[in-house]
């Protein structure tokens, strides 16, 4: 059992790292104003966008993190915390280099690249994306056979999501708002879920949103912020994204919420990032998405995700969007291994906060030393352990 003085020291370090993480808002720093899209279409989609970002200065993050320096020792917990500090600093340095090749290089270190192999050493996210794409393409040739789903308004969606999050999170439920202007159809944070007023949704869209955003992202954030002795588990930063997004997409899969359009979007993002790395500019990637999108605005937004923070003339994109497929494979294999070895208690730890799969072993020790508490909010699909055992027993075989 840890001494009270050690528990306090580790909490101080964790608090410092969490405070620094609050200064590094990656996606917020990479936003494009609506005028960029208007300008692109006014130029008949023939001119690469020019984007001006607010400069980011990492000196404040460096100063905050340096405050933990005198507190470090050489325990396993200290090494883990130091790695977290380094991860957040790397994100800060990436934001400081927006619009340069260094931005891409740091993005690749944090999120990975389409051709980086999985742990089998043979296959990659790009291989998976291409395989998905080939299968989906064969089915989409026959889409006329299927009836079109009923479309649901933003107001109806608001009521449905409110009911769901209130039931799960009670007084900690995020506020649900319908807003006039939003680049995405829906954005979500632990405090509020915003829905674009003009957007329309299918029931599958709604199931995906609830399982992805609420039951995973909101839940792990709230669980992390309840970790009073280890507040860094409430921090959101680059290196945990692969596991968090993989877990969120797995939640869509295991509940039957995913559909062909969703999988195509995830696959196309990986292919588009690879195109940009190999030199495709914004216009070329936009044309790629235009062939696979319902509207030109949708194609623009998909392309924007690839080039935000990077170089629109090609060669240096933002690689974050490979994490959905990469993370899905890793999370699926984690649960499969946990079930096959009868480690339900270990698999539950993935919901303890904003963490990476590689953190699980140290989190297990922290639970034993009462530095980390068991997660409060768990998705209903995980609680159906009978189903998971049956599903993964078949998968293992």
């Amino acid at each position: 059992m840890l001494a009270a003085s050690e528990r306090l020291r580790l909490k101080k370090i964790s608090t410092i790292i969490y405070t620094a993480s609050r200064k590094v808002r990656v996606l917020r720093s990479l936003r494009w104003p609506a005028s960029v899209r208007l300008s692109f279409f006014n130029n008949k989609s023939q001119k690469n966008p020019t984007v001006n970002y607010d400069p980011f200065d990492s000196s404040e993050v460096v100063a905050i993190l340096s405050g933990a320096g005198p507190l470090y020792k050489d325990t396993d917990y200290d090494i883990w915390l130091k790695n977290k500090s380094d991860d957040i600093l790397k994100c800060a340095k990436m934001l400081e280099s927006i619009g340069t090749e260094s931005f891409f290089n740091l993005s690749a270190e944090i999120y990975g690249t389409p051709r980086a192999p999985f742990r089998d050493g043979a296959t990659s996210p790009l291989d998976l994306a291409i395989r998905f794409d080939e299968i989906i393409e064969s089915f989409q040739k026959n889409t006329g056979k299927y009836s079109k789903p009923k479309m649901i308004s933003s107001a109806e969606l608001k009521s449905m999501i409110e009911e769901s999050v209130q039931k799960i999170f009670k007084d900690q439920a995020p506020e649900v708002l319908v807003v006039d202007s939003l680049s995405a159809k829906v954005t979500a944070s632990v405090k509020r879920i915003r829905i674009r007023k003009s957007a329309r949704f299918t029931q599958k869209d709604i199931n995906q949103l609830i399982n992805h955003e609420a039951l995973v992202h909101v839940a792990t954030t709230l669980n992390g912020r309840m970790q009073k002795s280890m507040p860094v588990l409430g921090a959101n930063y680059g290196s945990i994204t692969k596991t968090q997004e993989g877990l969120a997409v797995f939640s869509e899969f295991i509940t039957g919420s995913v559909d062909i359009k969703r999988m195509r979007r995830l696959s196309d993002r990986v292919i588009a990032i690879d195109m940009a790395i190999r030199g495709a500019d914004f216009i070329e990637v936009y044309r790629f998405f235009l062939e696979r999108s319902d509207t030109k605005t949708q194609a623009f937004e998909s392309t924007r995700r690839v080039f935000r923070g990077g170089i629109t003339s090609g060669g240096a994109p933002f690689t974050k969007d490979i994490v959905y497929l990469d993370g899905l494979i890793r999370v699926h294999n984690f649960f499969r291994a946990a079930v096959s070895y009868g480690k339900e208690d270990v698999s539950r730890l993935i919901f303890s906060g904003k963490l990476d799969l590689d953190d699980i072993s140290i989190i297990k020790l922290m639970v034993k030393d009462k530095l980390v508490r068991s997660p409060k909010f768990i998705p209903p699909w995980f609680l159906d352990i009978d189903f998971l055992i049956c599903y993964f027993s078949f998968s293992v075989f």
Side-chain angles (χ1 to χ4, degrees):
M1 183 67 69
L2 281 178
S5 58
E6 273 296 276
R7 204 184 317 276
L8 180 60
R9 181 183 68 82
L10 293 169
K11 179 180 178 179
K12 286 180 179 178
I13 296 173
S14 185
T15 301
I16 289 170
I17 297 171
Y18 174 76
T19 301
S21 76
R22 302 284 290 169
K23 304 294 182 181
V24 186
R25 302 296 183 89
V26 173
L27 298 185
R28 183 178 297 182
S29 298
L30 302 182
R31 284 177 179 169
W32 287 17
S35 58
V36 175
R37 184 176 70 234
L38 292 174
S39 177
F40 180 73
F41 290 142
N42 286 339
N43 285 306
K44 302 186 185 303
S45 309
Q46 297 297 315
K47 182 180 178 182
N48 287 325
T50 300
V51 186
N52 296 314
Y53 300 94
D54 292 333
F56 185 89
D57 185 355
S58 67
S59 60
E60 184 179 6
V61 176
V62 172
I64 294 170
L65 292 174
S66 66
L71 298 172
Y72 283 113
K73 293 184 180 179
D74 59 356
T75 71
D76 289 343
Y77 293 156
D78 288 273
I79 293 169
W80 180 79
L81 286 166
K82 183 65 168 64
N83 287 337
K84 295 297 175 187
S85 175
D86 292 344
D87 288 341
I88 289 163
L89 182 58
K90 188 180 291 184
C91 283
K93 292 297 184 183
M94 180 184 73
L95 294 181
E96 202 168 43
S97 61
I98 284 175
T100 71
E101 191 172 340
S102 293
F103 173 86
F104 161 67
N105 292 333
L106 287 166
S107 169
E109 285 184 38
I110 294 166
Y111 303 104
T113 58
R115 295 175 186 257
F118 292 123
R119 290 187 178 179
D120 64 358
T123 53
S124 68
L126 182 61
D127 294 325
L128 180 60
I130 291 171
R131 183 61 180 145
F132 269 140
D133 207 56
E134 290 171 347
I135 294 170
I136 291 168
E137 180 66 28
S138 68
F139 276 92
Q140 288 209 315
K141 290 176 182 176
N142 301 309
T143 51
K145 295 180 180 180
Y146 307 102
S147 60
K148 290 189 176 181
K150 174 190 172 185
M151 301 307 292
I152 297 166
S153 71
S154 55
E156 291 176 282
L157 175 61
K158 178 180 185 294
S159 297
M160 296 167 82
I161 292 182
E162 277 180 334
E163 182 181 355
S164 179
V165 296
Q166 288 289 341
K167 182 179 179 181
I168 298 163
F169 302 114
K170 305 289 191 300
D171 60 336
Q172 291 178 278
E175 182 182 14
V176 184
L177 303 170
V178 174
V179 298
D180 291 325
S181 179
L182 201 64
S183 58
K185 292 170 75 173
V186 178
T187 63
S189 70
V190 72
K191 290 184 177 180
R192 60 188 60 88
I193 295 172
R194 298 190 298 162
I195 305 164
R196 193 197 325 139
K197 187 175 183 178
S198 61
R200 295 295 179 266
F201 305 85
T202 66
Q203 187 59 52
K204 284 279 190 180
D205 292 333
I206 295 165
N207 294 342
Q208 289 163 22
L209 286 166
I210 291 171
N211 282 284
H212 186 112
E213 301 293 352
L215 295 181
V216 172
H217 289 326
V218 173
T220 55
T221 299
L222 289 174
N223 288 337
R225 292 183 180 178
M226 292 177 192
Q227 305 294 354
K228 301 304 181 185
S229 294
M230 199 51 58
V232 70
L233 290 175
N236 202 2
Y237 50 95
S239 65
I240 54 96
T241 307
K242 189 172 293 185
T243 296
Q244 294 302 307
E245 296 296 358
L247 181 59
V249 176
F250 180 79
S251 185
E252 297 176 42
F253 257 88
I254 204 70
T255 57
S257 303
V258 75
D259 59 14
I260 286 178
K261 279 192 172 184
R262 173 65 166 160
M263 285 312 300
R264 185 115 204 215
R265 284 199 302 272
L266 299 182
S267 299
D268 286 350
R269 290 172 188 176
V270 177
I271 295 168
I273 290 169
D274 187 65
M275 289 172 60
I277 291 172
R278 290 184 290 114
D281 65 7
F282 187 96
I283 295 171
E284 291 173 281
V285 174
Y286 169 75
R287 288 171 180 165
F288 165 79
F289 278 119
L290 194 59
E291 293 179 356
R292 296 151 182 260
S293 303
D294 295 330
T295 66
K296 65 178 186 178
T297 298
Q298 187 182 79
F300 177 90
E301 290 301 324
S302 295
T303 311
R304 175 190 61 80
R305 293 179 67 103
V306 174
F307 287 92
R308 51 188 167 170
I311 301 173
T312 57
S313 58
F318 182 45
T319 64
K320 183 253 180 185
D321 277 353
I322 75 149
V323 302
Y324 296 90
L325 293 189
D326 193 341
L328 172 62
I329 291 293
R330 295 170 192 268
V331 168
H332 178 278
N333 289 343
F334 165 75
F335 281 126
R336 184 173 65 176
V339 169
S340 64
Y341 287 102
K343 300 291 186 181
E344 185 272 342
D345 59 324
V346 174
S347 58
R348 180 180 290 262
L349 296 178
I350 198 171
F351 301 106
S352 299
K354 312 302 279 188
L355 51 84
D356 182 75
L357 281 176
D358 291 338
D359 299 332
I360 294 292
S361 58
I362 201 82
I363 297 298
K364 186 179 178 183
L365 293 175
M366 287 183 174
V367 171
K368 184 179 178 182
D369 281 330
K370 300 192 184 308
L371 285 169
V372 170
R373 57 178 288 179
S374 181
K376 177 179 179 180
F377 299 114
I378 305 286
W381 57 260
F382 182 84
L383 299 175
D384 189 358
I385 195 65
D386 285 353
F387 170 70
L388 291 181
I389 290 171
C390 293
Y391 174 86
F392 283 111
S393 295
F394 181 79
S395 175
V396 169
F397 183 82

